[in-house]
Amino acid sequence: MWSILILVILSILSYLVTDELIPKLKDLFIKAGLYGVDLCKNNNKKIPEAIGVISGCVFLVTSFIFIPTVFGNDLIERELFPHNEFAELLAALLSICCMLLLGFADDVLDLKWRYKLLLPTVASLPLLVVYYVNFNSTTFVIPIPFRQWLGVSINIGFLYYVYMGMLAVFCTNAINILAGINGLEVGQAIVIAASIIIFDIIELRGDQFKAHTFSLHIMIPYLATTLALMKHNWYPSKVFVGDTFCYVSGMTFAVVGILSHFSKTVLLFFLPQIMNFIYSVPQLFHIIPCPRHCLPKYSAEMDLLQASRTVIAKKDLTFFRKIIVQVLTILRLIDKVEDKESITINNLTLINLVLIKLGPMSEDRLTVTLLALQCCCTLLAFLIRYPMASYFYET
Amino acid sequence: MWSILILVILSILSYLVTDELIPKLKDLFIKAGLYGVDLCKNNNKKIPEAIGVISGCVFLVTSFIFIPTVFGNDLIERELFPHNEFAELLAALLSICCMLLLGFADDVLDLKWRYKLLLPTVASLPLLVVYYVNFNSTTFVIPIPFRQWLGVSINIGFLYYVYMGMLAVFCTNAINILAGINGLEVGQAIVIAASIIIFDIIELRGDQFKAHTFSLHIMIPYLATTLALMKHNWYPSKVFVGDTFCYVSGMTFAVVGILSHFSKTVLLFFLPQIMNFIYSVPQLFHIIPCPRHCLPKYSAEMDLLQASRTVIAKKDLTFFRKIIVQVLTILRLIDKVEDKESITINNLTLINLVLIKLGPMSEDRLTVTLLALQCCCTLLAFLIRYPMASYFYET
């Protein structure tokens, strides 16, 4: 356990370094043309973009420096060195490093969608090989109520690897689409990271303590550097985090979920992201017209954010579109205004949904509301994972 | 050996993909502000920079896809899986991926020198841990003539790790400073890579065949993607390769040298880079004034390149400077013009040295001349490594 103590000290240092580096380096980003304007503010200040690359690099460097400590005792007796665990850590860092590169390239070059889907899949390949040689458990345990039909467990074989590859793609993109207001990307990542750390600490006394120690080795420095990033990204943002941050975060969560065998629990922590993804599907796949930005609309007079809207001309109202609008109306998930020629609905994002349910609010209150929702989902996840799990699985 | 065959086929594919991607993506780079103007040409065309990131990414992806093949047989019998070799490959790819990220960040953000020296050191850390647990041989065998004083071998312990860390820093920066004319960075990297591949093939029948197979696994896809890059970077360059390429290349050579235990042979292949580095030291450390660019001077009338020059005012001619100029004059390594108030000498780079020895020449002829020199050094290296080695070491 003393290795965790060293890690905490290293992580505090990495927090301080990140906090120091961000204001020092941010002019370099503006000079390189990496900046944006905050669409929810009254001014046109240039705000540096892609600053997630700084916290990501410090996170990686901290993990590198920590390697000799992780294997401290094993380094003395080299015959017993756990090469498989070392390969696990290296594969994890390799996948994260790849996403850092891809994210930064995306921020600089504005890559096409196909690369965004293809490259995380490739980046997760070393991870899958490690999983194959170290575990290769491709079995899902079936919840008790369904066992009469499906048996105790089901081995999905190769499909399990497809599932893990898709998990990496999903996690990297899910954070990226629940974004757009100050502090939200970083805030949700902090809540998820903290949830995973709490879960690890609870499970440290269980028989999977090795897997959970591994998870802590990755999550603690991640959380520290992300907290430093938060300090500069909180409302009103002095820096933007960019796709870089979302990609690195998503991959970090996926890596930990896969290699520590609790990918289903990680998905429980991703509930708001999953809801947002499902809710956004009609616009993501352009079934319903999607404007360039689905951000909430900033009203300068009130200094409040309102849900942004999209217009569907009635002549373009295909059967499929009509069904979707009707279902969403019945579920009370959209705010619809109809006139003779067109239907106007809010853009389908969780952020806009909160705004139509709770009314216009200021940007920081909106972020806090969404993060509170994220925390509630974590509580729900723990409820499902612990008290309720006994209904579904033997404990 | 069938895995090498698959690798060759994969590498041919990676050549084709790189060749296809470069013209497709280069406008993205110009749009992102990543372009330069060719200082040795008559026009002011925008030429995309940092294109080395494309070949580097394809190289990495190829290596990822190749992983299941490398361990093909071992994947079937998982009990005997060589976790240590797998960790070796992962550490190699991790170090290369880090340099790709650092190089690209440097091209975009124009990082300060301290980061350029610090980060390759950190990036080589996983490599050193792998070396420690897999080999930890820190012994130099002493050449026969010196054994009467130093013994048969000398164990330098921790210093060996410092040497390997410095090798990574040296290799990444050595290619970067022998650069500036079309095709030279890529050309020298191709000659070095080809030399290493020839060396590996010669040694495949020896007792170190495993290490040399490992080296081939890295070098073959590297060479293929670099050849594709060369096609677009050759005179007149349609793309520039950027620091990205130099960093990735240097780290790739260092990784292979360290993990396949022939770092001294790799250094032999780096002879022109070492000569250039030593020759440049007085200007690199600003002992002699160094202009922003040490590139040769382009004369538009003649369409030829001439050595560029630097001026030292006689009143600034300190004792130390005087000594350096005198030594270089005696060694006939500079072209010096003196007048009452100042001394004018050529900038201290190998490129300028070739120009003062052979006279002004066109850019493509200059590149060919320097690459011919690189090939001669490879021949010399093989001469030292094979016929002459028996004078220094038992065979």
Side-chain angles (χ1 to χ4, degrees):
Chain A
M1 278 307 96
W2 60 275
S3 75
I4 295 282
L5 186 72
I6 294 182
L7 183 58
V8 170
I9 295 169
L10 267 182
S11 297
I12 292 171
L13 283 178
S14 74
Y15 173 89
L16 297 173
V17 170
T18 312
D19 185 32
E20 180 85 17
L21 278 179
I22 291 174
K24 251 192 185 164
L25 294 179
K26 70 181 185 188
D27 290 338
L28 282 183
F29 285 73
I30 293 182
K31 230 173 68 191
L34 282 170
Y35 59 82
V37 169
D38 198 330
L39 296 175
C40 299
K41 298 286 182 302
N42 233 338
N43 57 43
N44 283 319
K45 249 203 246 166
K46 286 179 184 178
I47 297 185
E49 259 284 11
I51 297 294
V53 78
I54 299 177
S55 67
C57 281
V58 178
F59 165 43
L60 265 187
V61 169
T62 311
S63 302
F64 282 5
I65 294 174
F66 183 58
I67 291 177
T69 314
V70 182
F71 297 102
N73 292 323
D74 299 308
L75 285 177
I76 297 159
E77 289 196 68
R78 289 193 304 127
E79 282 75 39
L80 302 172
F81 189 82
H83 289 284
N84 54 340
E85 288 174 29
F86 185 43
E88 230 173 280
L89 184 59
L90 287 177
L93 294 178
L94 181 56
S95 292
I96 294 170
C97 185
C98 280
M99 292 313 291
L100 193 55
L101 173 65
L102 171 64
F104 190 56
D106 191 13
D107 277 328
V108 174
L109 300 173
D110 218 348
L111 296 175
K112 292 206 182 106
W113 264 99
R114 67 186 110 143
Y115 298 109
K116 297 192 196 191
L117 297 180
L118 188 69
L119 290 177
T121 318
V122 177
S124 61
L125 208 62
L127 214 63
L128 300 190
V129 175
V130 160
Y131 187 86
Y132 178 80
V133 297
N134 282 7
F135 318 108
N136 193 27
S137 142
T138 55
T139 305
F140 268 116
V141 179
I142 304 287
I144 295 171
F146 302 101
R147 286 194 189 162
Q148 43 185 324
W149 300 290
L150 295 167
V152 176
S153 66
I154 187 167
N155 189 348
I156 59 168
F158 179 71
L159 282 180
Y160 199 85
Y161 289 89
V162 176
Y163 156 72
M164 289 189 293
M166 281 172 60
L167 186 73
V169 178
F170 173 76
C171 288
T172 49
N173 287 295
I175 296 179
N176 211 4
I177 58 173
L178 181 53
I181 57 174
N182 290 181
L184 183 59
E185 295 99 317
V186 187
Q188 62 185 301
I190 287 176
V191 175
I192 296 172
S195 311
I196 293 179
I197 289 178
I198 294 170
F199 178 63
D200 285 330
I201 292 173
I202 296 173
E203 291 287 323
L204 265 187
R205 283 169 309 166
D207 54 351
Q208 291 290 311
F209 75 95
K210 272 215 157 174
H212 289 280
T213 315
F214 172 82
S215 167
L216 283 175
H217 288 166
I218 306 260
M219 292 314 304
I220 293 174
Y222 170 78
L223 181 63
T225 49
T226 305
L227 281 171
L229 185 60
M230 180 61 139
K231 195 177 144 186
H232 301 268
N233 182 241
W234 188 253
Y235 178 91
S237 292
K238 287 186 286 295
V239 304
F240 289 148
V241 297
D243 290 349
T244 318
F245 174 76
C246 302
Y247 286 11
V248 169
S249 304
M251 194 49 129
T252 306
F253 299 138
V255 157
V256 161
I258 290 173
L259 292 182
S260 299
H261 328 288
F262 55 80
S263 58
K264 280 178 288 180
T265 309
V266 168
L267 282 179
L268 282 180
F269 295 138
F270 265 82
L271 270 182
Q273 285 71 26
I274 295 173
M275 295 186 315
N276 181 54
F277 173 71
I278 296 172
Y279 187 51
S280 304
V281 160
Q283 281 194 311
L284 280 181
F285 294 99
H286 291 275
I287 300 166
I288 285 186
C290 181
R292 175 87 180 83
H293 289 286
C294 293
L295 291 180
K297 216 173 64 190
Y298 176 67
S299 135
E301 309 101 68
M302 302 192 288
D303 193 28
L304 293 179
L305 295 182
Q306 294 172 299
S308 63
R309 282 155 202 288
T310 186
V311 179
I312 315 172
K314 278 200 170 158
K315 63 178 169 48
D316 298 332
L317 202 64
T318 56
F319 175 71
F320 203 34
R321 282 183 179 167
K322 217 183 260 173
I323 296 264
I324 291 172
V325 171
Q326 227 143 31
V327 169
L328 288 170
T329 311
I330 292 165
L331 295 171
R332 296 164 162 264
L333 290 176
I334 49 171
D335 185 29
K336 190 174 71 174
V337 178
E338 210 169 335
D339 64 20
K340 253 187 228 163
E341 313 221 305
S342 63
I343 296 175
T344 307
I345 60 169
N346 60 295
N347 282 314
L348 303 172
T349 68
L350 194 61
I351 303 177
N352 284 320
L353 184 62
V354 167
L355 286 171
I356 62 170
K357 289 291 169 198
L358 303 180
M361 57 177 92
S362 65
E363 191 174 358
D364 50 345
R365 227 189 102 208
L366 182 57
T367 307
V368 171
T369 309
L370 282 157
L371 292 182
L373 177 70
Q374 185 90 40
C375 290
C376 292
C377 287
T378 285
L379 287 178
L380 180 67
F382 276 111
L383 211 68
I384 295 177
R385 191 67 185 64
Y386 289 109
M388 279 172 62
S390 58
Y391 293 101
F392 295 106
Y393 298 102
E394 295 90 354
T395 39
Chain B
M1 278 309 93
W2 61 274
S3 75
I4 296 282
L5 186 72
I6 294 181
L7 182 58
V8 170
I9 294 169
L10 268 181
S11 298
I12 292 171
L13 284 178
S14 73
Y15 172 89
L16 296 172
V17 170
T18 312
D19 184 32
E20 180 85 15
L21 278 180
I22 291 175
K24 251 192 184 164
L25 295 179
K26 70 181 186 187
D27 289 339
L28 282 184
F29 285 73
I30 294 182
K31 229 170 72 189
L34 282 170
Y35 58 82
V37 169
D38 198 331
L39 296 176
C40 299
K41 297 286 184 302
N42 233 339
N43 56 42
N44 283 321
K45 249 201 245 166
K46 286 180 184 177
I47 297 185
E49 259 284 10
I51 297 295
V53 77
I54 299 178
S55 66
C57 281
V58 178
F59 164 44
L60 265 187
V61 169
T62 311
S63 303
F64 283 6
I65 295 175
F66 183 57
I67 291 176
T69 313
V70 182
F71 298 101
N73 291 323
D74 301 307
L75 286 176
I76 296 160
E77 289 196 68
R78 289 193 303 128
E79 282 75 40
L80 303 171
F81 188 81
H83 289 284
N84 54 342
E85 288 173 29
F86 185 44
E88 232 173 279
L89 184 59
L90 287 176
L93 294 178
L94 181 55
S95 292
I96 294 170
C97 186
C98 281
M99 292 314 290
L100 193 56
L101 173 64
L102 171 64
F104 190 56
D106 191 13
D107 277 327
V108 173
L109 300 173
D110 219 347
L111 296 176
K112 291 206 182 105
W113 264 99
R114 68 187 107 139
Y115 298 109
K116 297 191 194 190
L117 297 180
L118 188 71
L119 290 178
T121 319
V122 177
S124 60
L125 208 62
L127 215 61
L128 300 189
V129 175
V130 160
Y131 188 86
Y132 178 80
V133 297
N134 282 5
F135 317 109
N136 193 26
S137 144
T138 55
T139 306
F140 268 117
V141 179
I142 305 288
I144 294 171
F146 302 101
R147 286 196 188 161
Q148 42 185 323
W149 301 289
L150 296 169
V152 176
S153 66
I154 187 167
N155 188 348
I156 58 169
F158 180 71
L159 282 181
Y160 200 86
Y161 290 89
V162 176
Y163 156 72
M164 288 190 293
M166 282 173 61
L167 186 73
V169 178
F170 173 76
C171 287
T172 49
N173 286 294
I175 296 178
N176 211 3
I177 58 173
L178 181 53
I181 56 174
N182 289 181
L184 184 59
E185 296 98 319
V186 187
Q188 62 185 299
I190 287 177
V191 175
I192 296 172
S195 310
I196 293 179
I197 290 178
I198 293 171
F199 178 63
D200 285 330
I201 293 174
I202 295 174
E203 292 286 323
L204 265 188
R205 282 169 310 166
D207 54 350
Q208 291 291 310
F209 76 95
K210 271 215 159 174
H212 289 281
T213 314
F214 172 81
S215 166
L216 283 175
H217 288 166
I218 306 260
M219 292 315 305
I220 292 174
Y222 170 78
L223 182 63
T225 49
T226 305
L227 281 170
L229 185 59
M230 180 61 139
K231 193 178 146 187
H232 300 268
N233 182 243
W234 188 253
Y235 178 90
S237 292
K238 287 184 286 292
V239 305
F240 289 148
V241 296
D243 289 349
T244 318
F245 174 76
C246 301
Y247 286 10
V248 170
S249 304
M251 195 47 130
T252 307
F253 298 138
V255 157
V256 160
I258 290 172
L259 292 183
S260 300
H261 328 288
F262 54 79
S263 58
K264 281 179 289 181
T265 308
V266 167
L267 282 178
L268 280 180
F269 295 139
F270 265 81
L271 271 183
Q273 284 72 26
I274 295 174
M275 296 189 309
N276 181 55
F277 173 70
I278 296 174
Y279 186 50
S280 305
V281 160
Q283 282 194 311
L284 281 182
F285 294 100
H286 291 274
I287 302 167
I288 286 187
C290 182
R292 175 85 179 81
H293 288 287
C294 293
L295 290 180
K297 216 174 66 191
Y298 176 67
S299 137
E301 309 103 63
M302 300 194 289
D303 194 27
L304 293 180
L305 296 183
Q306 293 172 302
S308 63
R309 282 153 201 290
T310 186
V311 178
I312 316 172
K314 278 200 170 158
K315 62 178 169 47
D316 297 333
L317 202 64
T318 58
F319 176 71
F320 203 35
R321 281 183 179 168
K322 217 184 257 169
I323 296 263
I324 290 171
V325 171
Q326 227 144 29
V327 170
L328 287 171
T329 312
I330 291 164
L331 294 172
R332 296 164 162 266
L333 289 177
I334 49 170
D335 185 28
K336 189 173 72 174
V337 178
E338 211 169 333
D339 65 20
K340 254 187 225 162
E341 312 219 306
S342 63
I343 296 175
T344 308
I345 60 169
N346 59 294
N347 282 314
L348 302 172
T349 67
L350 194 62
I351 303 177
N352 284 320
L353 185 62
V354 167
L355 285 172
I356 62 170
K357 289 293 168 194
L358 302 181
M361 58 177 93
S362 65
E363 191 174 358
D364 49 344
R365 226 188 103 207
L366 182 57
T367 307
V368 170
T369 308
L370 283 158
L371 292 182
L373 177 70
Q374 184 90 40
C375 290
C376 291
C377 287
T378 285
L379 286 178
L380 180 67
F382 276 111
L383 210 66
I384 295 176
R385 192 67 186 65
Y386 288 109
M388 280 171 61
S390 57
Y391 293 100
F392 295 106
Y393 298 102
E394 295 91 354
T395 41

